[in-house]
Amino acid sequence: QKRTFFLRMLPVMAPNLGEDLAQTRLLDLLMLFSDRNATHSDEVCKLAHECVCQVLVHAPSTTRPKAECGTGKEWDDCCFGISYVEAALRRYPLSTPYNPLAMAVVTLVRAQGEESRVPERICRMLAAAAVRVAEAGDDVRASAVRKLMFGVCGVAPLGQVARLLALYEDEIGDSRGKHGAGPHDLLTEFAAVLDAIGDYNRKPDLSSWLQRMGTRVGGQARL
């Protein structure tokens, strides 16, 4: 099929296309193809998600909210990257494979500056998605989304880590009521994510926070 050929070729051409990938018609097409209900094809859906990741990598304008491009709207969600993650989480896991979703989140967060609110916003979206998936009875995928949320603090600008940890603290404090998993479970997930973080500029602070939270909830996470 032509659409399958197109979606297979786009990642190959993406490095040479750069900002030409940010054309509205192309982005709209990829968003459509990434919806399993619209394409009725698992292959097309998966390829479209992989193409979106290439767009975010090679067309940096798709990762910057309009507020940071001069429009003055702090929470404007017209940034393609944010719109994609929001839609992908809404369709997860039926139409959204985990790996392209994780790559998109990491690429989007890494592209932000110190003053951006995008990492915090992404974490709130991930937390809400994890709650929805847990309520549907899929504890494994809910855990995967929470780990992705925790992983944001490993790639966000250093100046934003404290704000993200405060958000995590709120999620852990209310985890039993929202996530269907206890505080110890979430801290254990955080510990697993922390173990994989190789940035030793931020790892000591994250480790200290984990120990404080472990003590606060009445014991240590299973490190």
Side-chain angles (χ1 to χ4, degrees):
Q1 293 183 358
K2 291 182 179 179
R3 63 182 182 179
T4 303
F5 176 77
F6 165 73
L7 292 172
R8 289 190 181 281
M9 289 301 299
L10 185 59
V12 178
M13 300 183 295
N16 295 322
L17 293 175
E19 285 296 336
D20 287 339
L21 294 166
Q23 297 181 38
T24 300
R25 292 181 63 183
L26 173 60
L27 301 182
D28 288 345
L29 190 63
L30 292 178
M31 288 287 275
L32 176 65
F33 284 168
S34 68
D35 184 356
R36 175 67 175 76
N37 291 328
T39 63
H40 304 291
S41 168
D42 291 333
E43 181 184 18
V44 168
C45 183
K46 179 177 179 292
L47 289 171
H49 283 285
E50 293 171 352
C51 286
V52 168
C53 292
Q54 294 302 311
V55 169
L56 296 178
V57 169
H58 297 291
S61 66
T62 60
T63 66
R64 294 194 296 268
K66 286 188 175 181
E68 296 170 27
C69 297
T71 67
K73 292 184 179 180
E74 181 181 4
W75 290 94
D76 193 338
D77 62 359
C78 289
C79 162
F80 172 73
I82 295 176
S83 297
Y84 165 74
V85 170
E86 185 175 36
L89 285 172
R90 189 167 59 246
R91 299 166 184 160
Y92 179 84
L94 296 180
S95 289
T96 304
Y98 177 81
N99 287 342
L101 170 65
M103 181 178 176
V105 166
V106 170
T107 302
L108 182 58
V109 171
R110 276 183 172 157
Q112 305 310 307
E114 289 287 347
E115 301 302 319
S116 173
R117 301 296 295 274
V118 169
E120 181 182 358
R121 183 172 186 175
I122 292 295
C123 280
R124 293 188 185 281
M125 291 162 56
L126 288 166
V131 170
R132 175 182 58 78
V133 175
E135 289 175 345
D138 194 337
D139 295 334
V140 173
R141 287 191 173 95
S143 177
V145 175
R146 287 194 300 267
K147 287 178 180 177
L148 182 55
M149 174 187 71
F150 291 140
V152 169
C153 72
V155 294
L158 281 171
Q160 302 202 20
V161 171
R163 185 184 301 140
L164 295 176
L165 292 178
L167 186 154
Y168 298 159
E169 189 168 340
D170 289 341
E171 291 299 319
I172 291 169
D174 195 23
S175 61
R176 186 69 69 183
K178 295 197 305 184
H179 291 278
H184 287 283
D185 297 312
L186 268 67
L187 288 178
T188 299
E189 291 171 351
F190 184 91
V193 171
L194 176 61
D195 188 56
I197 293 176
D199 183 350
Y200 290 93
N201 289 318
R202 67 183 74 206
K203 200 160 188 173
D205 289 339
L206 298 178
S207 297
S208 296
W209 178 85
L210 176 61
Q211 295 298 328
R212 288 197 303 272
M213 286 299 298
T215 301
R216 181 175 302 178
V217 302
Q220 300 299 318
R222 296 185 293 274
L223 300 177

